[in-house]
Coordinates of all heavy atoms in Angstrom, one line a residue:
K1 N 6.5 -19.3 3.5 CA 7.6 -20.1 3.9 C 8.1 -19.7 5.3 O 8.4 -20.5 6.2 CB 8.8 -20.0 2.9 CG 10.0 -20.9 3.3 CD 11.1 -20.7 2.2 CE 12.3 -21.5 2.6 NZ 13.4 -21.4 1.7
T2 N 8.2 -18.4 5.5 CA 8.8 -17.9 6.8 C 7.8 -18.0 7.9 O 8.2 -18.3 9.0 CB 9.2 -16.4 6.6 OG1 10.0 -16.2 5.4 CG2 10.0 -15.9 7.8
S3 N 6.5 -17.8 7.6 CA 5.5 -17.9 8.7 C 4.9 -19.3 8.9 O 4.3 -19.5 10.0 CB 4.4 -16.9 8.4 OG 3.6 -17.3 7.2
G4 N 4.9 -20.1 7.9 CA 4.3 -21.4 7.9 C 2.8 -21.3 7.7 O 2.0 -22.3 7.9
L5 N 2.3 -20.1 7.3 CA 0.9 -19.9 7.1 C 0.6 -19.9 5.6 O 1.5 -19.8 4.7 CB 0.5 -18.5 7.7 CG 0.8 -18.3 9.2 CD1 0.5 -16.9 9.6 CD2 0.0 -19.3 10.0
K6 N -0.7 -19.9 5.2 CA -1.1 -20.0 3.8 C -2.0 -18.8 3.5 O -2.9 -18.5 4.2 CB -1.9 -21.3 3.5 CG -2.1 -21.5 2.0 CD -2.5 -22.9 1.7 CE -2.8 -23.2 0.3 NZ -1.5 -22.9 -0.5
M7 N -1.7 -18.2 2.3 CA -2.4 -17.0 1.9 C -3.9 -17.4 1.6 O -4.2 -18.4 1.0 CB -1.8 -16.4 0.6 CG -2.5 -15.2 0.1 SD -1.9 -14.4 -1.4 CE -2.6 -15.6 -2.6
N8 N -4.8 -16.5 2.0 CA -6.2 -16.6 1.8 C -6.9 -17.6 2.7 O -8.1 -17.8 2.6 CB -6.6 -16.8 0.3 CG -6.3 -15.5 -0.5 OD1 -6.1 -14.4 0.0 ND2 -6.2 -15.7 -1.8
T9 N -6.1 -18.4 3.4 CA -6.6 -19.3 4.4 C -6.2 -18.7 5.8 O -7.1 -18.6 6.7 CB -6.0 -20.7 4.3 OG1 -6.4 -21.2 3.0 CG2 -6.6 -21.6 5.3
D10 N -4.9 -18.4 6.0 CA -4.5 -18.0 7.3 C -4.2 -16.4 7.3 O -4.3 -15.8 8.3 CB -3.2 -18.7 7.7 CG -3.4 -20.2 7.8 OD1 -4.4 -20.6 8.4 OD2 -2.5 -20.9 7.2
F11 N -3.8 -15.9 6.2 CA -3.5 -14.5 6.1 C -3.9 -14.0 4.7 O -4.2 -14.7 3.8 CB -2.1 -14.2 6.4 CG -1.1 -14.6 5.3 CD1 -0.7 -13.7 4.3 CD2 -0.6 -15.9 5.3 CE1 0.2 -14.1 3.3 CE2 0.3 -16.3 4.3 CZ 0.6 -15.4 3.3
F12 N -3.9 -12.6 4.5 CA -4.4 -12.0 3.3 C -3.4 -10.9 2.9 O -2.6 -10.4 3.7 CB -5.8 -11.4 3.5 CG -6.8 -12.4 4.0 CD1 -7.0 -12.5 5.4 CD2 -7.5 -13.2 3.1 CE1 -7.9 -13.4 5.9 CE2 -8.4 -14.2 3.6 CZ -8.6 -14.3 5.0
V13 N -3.3 -10.6 1.6 CA -2.4 -9.6 1.1 C -3.1 -8.6 0.2 O -4.2 -8.9 -0.3 CB -1.2 -10.2 0.3 CG1 -0.4 -11.2 1.1 CG2 -1.7 -11.0 -1.0
G14 N -2.5 -7.5 0.1 CA -3.0 -6.5 -0.8 C -1.9 -5.6 -1.4 O -0.7 -5.8 -1.0
Y15 N -2.3 -4.8 -2.3 CA -1.3 -3.9 -2.9 C -1.9 -2.5 -3.1 O -3.1 -2.4 -3.6 CB -0.8 -4.4 -4.3 CG 0.3 -3.5 -4.9 CD1 1.6 -3.6 -4.5 CD2 -0.1 -2.5 -5.9 CE1 2.6 -2.7 -5.0 CE2 0.9 -1.7 -6.4 CZ 2.2 -1.8 -6.0 OH 3.2 -0.9 -6.5
S16 N -1.3 -1.5 -2.7 CA -1.8 -0.1 -2.8 C -0.6 0.8 -3.2 O 0.2 1.1 -2.3 CB -2.4 0.4 -1.4 OG -2.9 1.7 -1.6
P17 N -0.5 1.1 -4.4 CA 0.7 1.9 -4.9 C 0.8 3.2 -4.3 O -0.1 4.0 -4.1 CB 0.4 2.0 -6.4 CG -1.1 1.9 -6.6 CD -1.5 0.9 -5.5
E18 N 2.1 3.6 -3.9 CA 2.4 4.9 -3.3 C 2.4 5.9 -4.5 O 2.8 5.6 -5.6 CB 3.7 4.9 -2.6 CG 4.9 4.5 -3.4 CD 5.6 5.7 -4.1 OE1 5.1 6.8 -3.9 OE2 6.5 5.4 -4.9
R19 N 1.9 7.1 -4.1 CA 1.8 8.2 -5.1 C 2.4 9.5 -4.6 O 2.2 10.5 -5.2 CB 0.4 8.4 -5.5 CG -0.2 7.3 -6.4 CD -1.7 7.5 -6.7 NE -2.1 6.8 -7.9 CZ -3.3 6.7 -8.3 NH1 -4.3 7.3 -7.6 NH2 -3.7 6.0 -9.4
I20 N 3.2 9.4 -3.5 CA 3.8 10.6 -3.0 C 4.8 11.2 -3.9 O 5.7 10.5 -4.4 CB 4.4 10.3 -1.6 CG1 3.3 10.0 -0.6 CG2 5.2 11.5 -1.1 CD1 3.8 9.5 0.8
N21 N 4.8 12.5 -4.0 CA 5.8 13.2 -4.8 C 6.7 14.0 -3.8 O 6.3 15.0 -3.3 CB 5.1 14.2 -5.8 CG 6.1 14.8 -6.8 OD1 7.2 14.3 -7.0 ND2 5.7 15.9 -7.4
P22 N 8.0 13.5 -3.6 CA 8.8 14.1 -2.6 C 8.9 15.6 -2.8 O 9.1 16.1 -3.9 CB 10.2 13.4 -2.8 CG 9.8 12.1 -3.4 CD 8.6 12.3 -4.2
G23 N 8.8 16.4 -1.7 CA 9.0 17.8 -1.7 C 7.7 18.5 -2.1 O 7.6 19.8 -1.9
D24 N 6.6 17.8 -2.5 CA 5.4 18.4 -2.8 C 4.5 18.6 -1.6 O 4.0 17.6 -1.0 CB 4.6 17.5 -3.8 CG 3.4 18.2 -4.5 OD1 2.8 19.1 -3.8 OD2 3.0 17.8 -5.6
K25 N 4.3 19.9 -1.2 CA 3.6 20.1 0.1 C 2.1 20.3 -0.2 O 1.3 20.5 0.7 CB 4.1 21.4 0.7 CG 5.6 21.3 1.1 CD 5.8 20.0 2.0 CE 7.3 19.9 2.4 NZ 7.6 18.6 3.1
E26 N 1.7 20.3 -1.5 CA 0.3 20.5 -1.8 C -0.4 19.1 -2.0 O -1.4 18.8 -1.4 CB 0.2 21.2 -3.2 CG -1.3 21.4 -3.6 CD -1.4 22.2 -4.9 OE1 -0.4 22.7 -5.4 OE2 -2.5 22.3 -5.4
H27 N 0.3 18.2 -2.7 CA -0.3 16.8 -2.9 C 0.4 15.9 -1.9 O 1.2 15.0 -2.2 CB 0.0 16.4 -4.3 CG -0.6 17.3 -5.4 ND1 0.2 18.2 -6.0 CD2 -1.8 17.4 -5.9 CE1 -0.6 18.9 -6.9 NE2 -1.8 18.4 -6.8
T28 N -0.1 16.0 -0.7 CA 0.5 15.1 0.4 C -0.3 13.8 0.4 O -1.3 13.7 -0.3 CB 0.3 15.9 1.8 OG1 -1.0 16.3 1.9 CG2 1.3 17.1 1.8
V29 N 0.1 12.9 1.2 CA -0.4 11.5 1.2 C -1.9 11.5 1.3 O -2.6 10.7 0.6 CB 0.3 10.6 2.2 CG1 0.1 11.1 3.7 CG2 -0.2 9.2 2.1
S30 N -2.5 12.3 2.2 CA -3.9 12.2 2.5 C -4.7 12.9 1.4 O -6.0 12.7 1.3 CB -4.3 12.8 3.8 OG -4.0 14.2 3.8
K31 N -4.1 13.7 0.5 CA -4.8 14.4 -0.5 C -4.7 13.8 -1.9 O -5.1 14.4 -2.9 CB -4.2 15.9 -0.5 CG -4.4 16.6 0.8 CD -3.8 18.0 0.7 CE -3.9 18.7 2.1 NZ -3.3 20.0 2.1
I32 N -4.1 12.6 -2.0 CA -3.9 11.9 -3.2 C -4.8 10.7 -3.2 O -4.7 9.9 -2.3 CB -2.5 11.5 -3.5 CG1 -1.5 12.7 -3.3 CG2 -2.3 10.9 -4.9 CD1 0.0 12.3 -3.3
L33 N -5.7 10.6 -4.2 CA -6.6 9.4 -4.3 C -5.7 8.1 -4.3 O -4.8 8.0 -5.0 CB -7.5 9.5 -5.5 CG -8.6 8.5 -5.5 CD1 -9.9 9.1 -6.1 CD2 -8.3 7.2 -6.3
K34 N -6.1 7.1 -3.5 CA -5.4 5.9 -3.2 C -6.0 4.7 -3.9 O -7.2 4.4 -3.8 CB -5.3 5.6 -1.7 CG -4.1 4.8 -1.3 CD -2.9 5.5 -1.2 CE -1.8 4.8 -0.4 NZ -1.1 3.7 -1.1

């Protein structure tokens, strides 16, 4: 509605759940399987 574009024709979407555990210096973003 906002863009005037259509999904999978004009643009694409995805979902990738965050798994960061605040304060955890061992399991940082790059070290957690995504």
